[in-house]
Amino acid sequence: LWTLGNQPLGMWPPAEPSVLLALRHGDHGVELVGVDAQTGTETVIETPALASVDAVASTEDHLWAILSFQDRPCELVRFDPHDLASGFTAMVKAGEAPDPETVSRPENLWIKGRHGHIQAWFYPPHCPGCAAPEGDRPPAIVLSHGGPTGASDPRWQTKVQYWTGRGFA
């Protein structure tokens, strides 16, 4: 990792791990995966609209993670290490989920670049009841990042939703 403080892996129990909770990066974001440390068997944990996993930790009784979503603010969640397939329990939410009708959902784009393909997340304007004149394109705001550790992902961003809700891409 390029920066200190990243916690992409949790182990349970902390002293003698038998379960690992990790994130796996792919073309469409990340997956949360539980791995049996003895057998290597993987369990993909269902996390709707998951955009990123910001941190993973463990205590004597549970595995914990901060999950970021595409359609709502992040949450601190708890997992039962004996039954990862059952999903998670939200413990603390960073804010209320907005009305789904007002959310601009990111689209995964791959653009041909000079040195290969470049991934981008496109947030279309989403302003219910608003329409641009026929043939017009919306104004666009471009945000770049300095990955790999600072890579962009399709997580909820209030500033992005503010602009897309006002007709900007």
Side-chain angles (χ1 to χ4, degrees):
L1 298 175
W2 292 70
T3 59
L4 298 175
N6 292 345
Q7 293 177 278
L9 178 70
M11 297 178 279
W12 184 89
E16 219 173 292
S18 62
V19 175
L20 306 175
L21 184 64
L23 53 137
R24 178 169 43 203
H25 293 267
D27 289 348
H28 299 285
V30 296
E31 289 181 315
L32 198 53
V33 181
V35 180
D36 182 305
Q38 314 309 317
T39 66
T41 305
E42 296 180 359
T43 302
V44 176
I45 300 167
E46 294 298 319
T47 48
L50 181 69
S52 182
V53 180
D54 294 331
V56 179
S58 61
T59 59
E60 290 298 324
D61 300 324
H62 295 95
L63 283 161
W64 300 80
I66 298 174
L67 304 182
S68 292
F69 301 93
Q70 295 178 6
D71 60 352
R72 63 187 183 273
C74 65
E75 299 175 0
L76 171 66
V77 301
R78 182 180 70 200
F79 299 88
D80 177 353
H82 301 289
D83 186 16
L84 291 176
S86 67
F88 60 87
T89 302
M91 302 304 291
V92 178
K93 298 180 179 187
E96 292 302 314
D99 177 354
E101 297 298 317
T102 65
V103 175
S104 176
R105 300 199 187 277
E107 298 172 12
N108 186 18
L109 300 179
W110 285 93
I111 303 160
K112 186 171 168 63
R114 182 172 37 177
H115 300 291
H117 283 84
I118 302 165
Q119 184 188 27
W121 295 105
F122 174 70
Y123 291 81
H126 188 75
C127 182
C130 301
E134 186 70 33
D136 274 5
R137 291 186 177 171
I141 299 171
V142 177
L143 305 170
S144 62
H145 69 84
T149 306
S152 294
D153 55 39
R155 75 180 59 214
W156 172 267
Q157 296 179 64
T158 303
K159 67 181 177 184
V160 169
Q161 297 298 323
Y162 174 87
W163 289 107
T164 58
R166 284 153 181 80
F168 284 73

